[in-house]
Amino acid sequence: MQLVAYFDAEIDEPGLVAAVHEVGLRDVEVRTPTLSVLELGRDEHVYTWRVVRERELELGG
């Protein structure tokens, strides 16, 4: 099972990891926000994507 979460503000990272572990998920990865430019395709009724470019975003105003 994979779970993806999105936050648009700062979070308590240790608290988030503890809460996820509490519900039985063990592999937790918290990543720095990244802006991705994707090339999307849909050949033969299958969605595909290719990462064209990525850039990590800095938190804060």
Side-chain angles (χ1 to χ4, degrees):
M1 174 203 278
Q2 290 185 346
L3 173 69
V4 176
Y6 170 81
F7 299 90
D8 64 355
E10 288 188 43
I11 61 167
D12 172 30
E13 197 171 306
L16 173 64
V17 171
V20 171
H21 283 177
E22 205 172 286
V23 297
L25 299 173
R26 294 290 169 232
D27 296 326
V28 178
E29 185 176 327
V30 179
R31 293 184 169 197
T32 302
T34 303
L35 175 65
S36 301
V37 176
L38 304 175
E39 178 182 282
L40 303 175
R42 187 170 183 259
D43 296 329
E44 300 178 24
H45 304 287
V46 176
Y47 289 101
T48 59
W49 64 91
R50 179 178 73 87
V51 177
V52 176
R53 194 169 196 182
E54 288 188 324
R55 180 175 181 177
E56 285 189 9
L57 302 176
E58 293 183 25
L59 295 176

